[in-house]
Amino acid sequence: MFSQGVGIVFTQKIGAYKDKEAKKICGMGLSLSILLGIFLVILMLTTKNIFLGFFNLSPEIYKLASDYYTWLALVAIIYPVYYLFYYLVLDDGDNALVTASDIVCMISNYLISVFLVERMGISGLALGTSFGSIIAFVVLLNHFFPNK
């Protein structure tokens, strides 16, 4: 939720030609996103058994869910940062880049997941999802480093 708010305030500052304030807002949002990501990793890893135990899974399904969950938890740090930049770019009006990022995320998620699931099982699916988000994040960064 705060990712959207940071994006809105950032865009307001840019629109008011207050670049220094906009950079401060962006830096604060990035710092908070990283801290939130670290918190999510710790929370997800420390509550994994409680969360999965809630569903009364068979031992076989529990193992699969645990493998998938563990990989997602380990890369959860990227998601708050990804969504911060997603909304910064969206609020700045670069809808085409956001759409391209979404498409790249879906395609890379699918291709990497298919490739890795054959080699790693369910963990490959989780990594495919994570790598898809990382690649989409790199696409979003093009907004901040335009080609000259």
Side-chain angles (χ1 to χ4, degrees):
M1 182 192 308
F2 86 90
S3 294
Q4 288 177 321
V6 169
I8 291 168
V9 174
F10 175 79
T11 304
Q12 288 173 339
K13 297 297 181 188
I14 291 293
Y17 301 103
K18 296 180 179 179
D19 292 347
K20 283 187 179 183
E21 289 181 37
K23 287 179 182 179
K24 284 182 184 178
I25 294 294
C26 188
M28 179 190 64
L30 182 59
S31 297
L32 289 173
S33 294
I34 291 169
L35 287 173
L36 179 60
I38 292 168
F39 174 75
L40 283 174
V41 170
I42 292 168
L43 180 67
M44 289 177 75
L45 290 176
T46 57
T47 62
K48 179 176 89 170
N49 292 331
I50 295 168
F51 178 74
L52 293 177
F54 176 77
F55 296 102
N56 247 353
L57 304 171
S58 70
E60 183 178 310
I61 299 297
Y62 184 91
K63 169 79 170 98
L64 292 171
S66 178
D67 290 348
Y68 188 86
Y69 185 95
T70 299
W71 281 107
L72 282 185
L74 291 174
V75 295
I77 193 168
I78 67 166
Y79 291 108
V81 175
Y82 169 75
Y83 284 110
L84 171 70
F85 280 87
Y86 184 93
Y87 286 110
L88 284 172
V89 173
L90 187 64
D91 291 340
D92 203 29
D94 201 346
N95 297 348
L97 186 62
V98 169
T99 301
S101 172
D102 286 339
I103 291 168
V104 166
C105 185
M106 288 183 286
I107 292 171
S108 60
N109 180 355
Y110 174 77
L111 294 175
I112 295 169
S113 292
V114 168
F115 177 78
L116 291 178
V117 77
E118 293 177 352
R119 288 150 183 80
M120 300 175 64
I122 196 79
S123 296
L125 289 175
L127 283 175
T129 299
S130 301
F131 287 143
S133 295
I134 291 168
I135 294 167
F137 175 71
V138 171
V139 171
L140 289 175
L141 288 179
N142 285 302
H143 180 78
F144 300 96
F145 305 103
N147 296 332
K148 292 185 179 182

